[in-house]
Protein backbone atom coordinates (compact mmCIF):
# COMPACT_ATOMS: atom_id res chain seq x y z
CA UNK A 1 0.00 0.00 0.00
CA UNK A 2 2.89 2.33 0.73
CA UNK A 3 4.15 1.85 -2.83
CA UNK A 4 0.75 2.86 -4.18
CA UNK A 5 0.67 6.01 -2.05
CA UNK A 6 4.20 6.90 -3.15
CA UNK A 7 3.20 6.43 -6.78
CA UNK A 8 0.09 8.55 -6.28
CA UNK A 9 2.15 11.32 -4.67
CA UNK A 10 4.54 11.23 -7.62
CA UNK A 11 1.57 11.32 -9.99
CA UNK A 12 0.18 14.41 -8.21
CA UNK A 13 3.54 16.15 -8.60
CA UNK A 14 3.69 15.06 -12.25
CA UNK A 15 0.25 16.55 -12.92
CA UNK A 16 1.26 19.92 -11.53
CA UNK A 17 4.68 19.94 -13.20
CA UNK A 18 3.37 19.00 -16.65
CA UNK A 19 0.14 21.00 -16.30
CA UNK A 20 -1.88 18.04 -17.62
CA UNK A 21 -4.52 18.97 -15.05
CA UNK A 22 -5.54 22.26 -13.52
CA UNK A 23 -4.19 22.58 -9.95
CA UNK A 24 -7.74 22.46 -8.54
CA UNK A 25 -8.49 19.25 -10.51
CA UNK A 26 -5.26 17.40 -9.68
CA UNK A 27 -6.50 16.03 -6.31
CA UNK A 28 -9.57 14.64 -8.08
CA UNK A 29 -7.37 12.96 -10.71
CA UNK A 30 -5.40 11.31 -7.92
CA UNK A 31 -8.63 10.24 -6.20
CA UNK A 32 -9.94 8.58 -9.39
CA UNK A 33 -6.66 6.71 -9.88
CA UNK A 34 -6.63 5.61 -6.21
CA UNK A 35 -10.20 4.35 -6.56
CA UNK A 36 -9.37 2.51 -9.80
CA UNK A 37 -6.28 0.88 -8.29
CA UNK A 38 -8.36 -0.29 -5.31
CA UNK A 39 -10.78 -2.12 -7.61
CA UNK A 40 -10.16 -5.80 -8.40
CA UNK A 41 -7.60 -6.32 -11.15
CA UNK A 42 -8.37 -8.48 -14.17
CA UNK A 43 -6.44 -9.86 -17.13
CA UNK A 44 -8.28 -7.50 -19.50
CA UNK A 45 -6.28 -4.87 -21.41
CA UNK A 46 -5.95 -1.73 -19.30
CA UNK A 47 -8.15 0.28 -21.66
CA UNK A 48 -10.96 -2.26 -21.21
CA UNK A 49 -10.54 -2.16 -17.42
CA UNK A 50 -10.82 1.63 -17.49
CA UNK A 51 -13.91 1.47 -19.70
CA UNK A 52 -15.54 -1.01 -17.31
CA UNK A 53 -14.58 1.14 -14.31
CA UNK A 54 -16.13 4.24 -15.91
CA UNK A 55 -19.26 2.32 -16.94
CA UNK A 56 -19.63 1.14 -13.34
CA UNK A 57 -19.18 4.69 -12.05
CA UNK A 58 -22.02 5.86 -14.23
CA UNK A 59 -24.32 2.88 -13.76
CA UNK A 60 -23.75 1.87 -10.14
CA UNK A 61 -21.80 4.72 -8.61
CA UNK A 62 -24.23 7.49 -9.50
CA UNK A 63 -21.48 9.68 -10.94
CA UNK A 64 -22.39 12.60 -13.17
CA UNK A 65 -21.29 12.56 -16.83
CA UNK A 66 -18.55 15.12 -16.20
CA UNK A 67 -17.19 13.01 -13.33
CA UNK A 68 -17.05 9.92 -15.52
CA UNK A 69 -15.22 11.91 -18.21
CA UNK A 70 -12.83 13.28 -15.59
CA UNK A 71 -12.14 9.78 -14.24
CA UNK A 72 -11.53 8.46 -17.75
CA UNK A 73 -9.16 11.34 -18.52
CA UNK A 74 -7.34 10.96 -15.19
CA UNK A 75 -6.75 7.27 -15.81
CA UNK A 76 -5.54 7.88 -19.35
CA UNK A 77 -3.07 10.52 -18.12
CA UNK A 78 -1.93 8.13 -15.37
CA UNK A 79 -1.34 5.14 -17.61
CA UNK A 80 -0.24 6.80 -20.85
CA UNK A 81 1.56 9.96 -19.76
CA UNK A 82 2.79 9.09 -16.26
CA UNK A 83 3.47 5.34 -16.44
CA UNK A 84 4.10 5.48 -20.21
CA UNK A 85 2.21 2.27 -20.79
CA UNK A 86 2.29 1.28 -24.44
CA UNK A 87 -0.58 -1.20 -24.15
CA UNK A 88 -3.28 1.47 -23.82
CA UNK A 89 -6.04 0.89 -26.33
CA UNK A 90 -8.82 2.71 -24.52
CA UNK A 91 -10.98 5.44 -25.92
Amino acid sequence: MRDTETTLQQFAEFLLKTQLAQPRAAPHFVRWVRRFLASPATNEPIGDQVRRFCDDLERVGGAEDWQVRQADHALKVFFVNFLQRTDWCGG
Side-chain angles (χ1 to χ4, degrees), residues 13-67:
E13 293 167 6
F14 173 82
L15 287 172
L16 297 175
K17 178 181 168 191
T18 60
Q19 299 179 348
L20 288 171
Q22 295 292 325
R24 62 184 166 80
H28 300 290
F29 275 45
V30 172
R31 181 175 55 90
W32 290 124
V33 172
R34 178 181 285 116
R35 194 164 161 184
F36 176 83
L37 294 176
S39 63
T42 69
N43 290 330
E44 294 176 295
I46 198 67
D48 292 344
Q49 290 181 53
V50 168
R51 247 188 319 281
R52 186 173 29 80
F53 175 79
C54 290
D55 288 346
D56 288 348
L57 279 178
E58 192 170 31
R59 186 173 32 88
V60 183
E64 299 287 331
D65 285 347
W66 69 268
Q67 292 172 308

